[in-house]
Amino acid sequence: MIKMSFVGDISLGEYYLTFGHGPRSLMESGTNIFSDVSELFIGSDLVFGNLEGVISDVDYNPDSPHSRVFRGPPQAVDQLKAAGFNILNIANNHCVQQGAEAIRDSVRILEGAGITVVGLREKPITHISTNEGPIAVIACSLIPDNTDNEQQIYFAPSEQELIDTTRKASLDGTFTIVYLHWGKESTTEATPAQRQLAKALQNAGARMIIGHHTHSLQPVIV
């Protein structure tokens, strides 16, 4: 049996209302920002999270408020690893906010620590080996990018492309998870369009569809 835990958006930088007491500031002061939640992941074989922003100092200007927004420090990888995260998604609307090279550097940092990065445009399907057999993960964003809608770093498919990719991943019966940045922020119900797409993904072979982006809990769609 495989035990999996899923986390939504993880923002390790500051935000415009949190300078001095946001995640980056806390980590820089030596605080373990995951200390109150890491015990929830004990015993999990796979711990997924959506990394909303970079963990890179490429082109970092500490005197610029914008440069600290959605930008965690490189050493954040140590806290992520210690908390149990071993699969992180970078397909979301804030990941290229600090520039393409910063997100590429973040990918290098994460992979160097042994964390699997999902959601890359160049690799829309990631296969993960487990003692129960392979798992295919399709991570992507359906939310318009805050910085560059023409970006080619993360997987931002059309709905039909996502359905086709799901069908491809599931052809041989592989257990397929769609880890999806979608929905309407601050809502507690999936929209009719989400429900329709979820059904189409299920018909294409998805065994699990895990959403993030809304910043709120939503019910399970059966």
Side-chain angles (χ1 to χ4, degrees):
M1 181 177 70
I2 300 297
K3 181 178 179 181
M4 295 182 282
S5 296
F6 294 88
V7 173
D9 298 356
I10 304 170
S11 178
L12 301 180
E14 306 295 83
Y15 194 61
Y16 293 106
L17 301 178
T18 65
F19 289 110
H21 57 90
R24 179 163 187 141
S25 292
L26 291 173
M27 283 187 285
E28 289 174 340
S29 69
T31 300
N32 178 0
I33 64 172
F34 297 107
S35 60
D36 291 334
V37 297
S38 57
E39 65 180 23
L40 298 173
F41 310 136
I42 294 174
S44 293
D45 301 288
L46 303 175
V47 181
F48 291 70
N50 171 54
L51 187 59
E52 193 96 9
V54 299
I55 52 167
S56 170
D57 280 345
V58 170
D59 295 326
Y60 174 50
N61 178 1
D63 296 324
S64 167
H66 175 73
S67 194
R68 288 178 66 83
V69 171
F70 289 102
R71 183 198 290 270
Q75 60 268 31
V77 71
D78 297 327
Q79 291 199 21
L80 288 163
K81 185 80 172 179
F85 290 99
N86 48 21
I87 302 174
L88 288 173
N89 168 59
I90 55 89
N92 57 68
N93 55 302
H94 285 289
C95 87
V96 296
Q97 187 166 321
Q98 294 296 345
E101 286 309 310
I103 190 60
R104 291 190 182 101
D105 186 47
S106 299
V107 171
R108 287 191 290 268
I109 291 169
L110 292 168
E111 291 180 339
I115 296 174
T116 298
V117 176
V118 296
L120 292 165
R121 173 77 231 187
E122 63 191 31
K123 190 179 180 182
I125 304 171
T126 301
H127 291 95
I128 298 171
S129 298
T130 77
N131 55 18
E132 296 289 337
I135 292 175
V137 178
I138 301 168
C140 62
S141 176
L142 299 182
I143 302 299
D145 192 88
N146 282 42
T147 306
D148 179 11
N149 280 325
E150 302 301 318
Q151 64 78 35
Q152 293 295 312
I153 296 175
Y154 66 82
F155 191 36
S158 66
E159 291 189 0
Q160 188 58 55
E161 184 180 6
L162 177 56
I163 292 168
D164 293 342
T165 303
T166 302
R167 184 174 293 111
K168 178 182 177 181
S170 309
L171 276 178
D172 59 357
T174 298
F175 190 99
T176 300
I177 299 172
V178 179
Y179 194 52
L180 186 54
H181 206 59
W182 69 341
K184 185 177 180 180
E185 285 190 14
S186 303
T187 59
T188 56
E189 292 288 341
T191 66
Q194 282 179 276
R195 293 175 181 273
Q196 183 177 1
L197 177 57
K199 185 63 177 178
L201 292 172
Q202 181 184 20
N203 290 339
R207 301 289 294 278
M208 297 178 69
I209 303 168
I210 307 293
H212 35 89
H213 173 68
T214 63
H215 307 163
S216 57
L217 293 176
Q218 295 189 352
V220 175
I221 301 174
V222 180

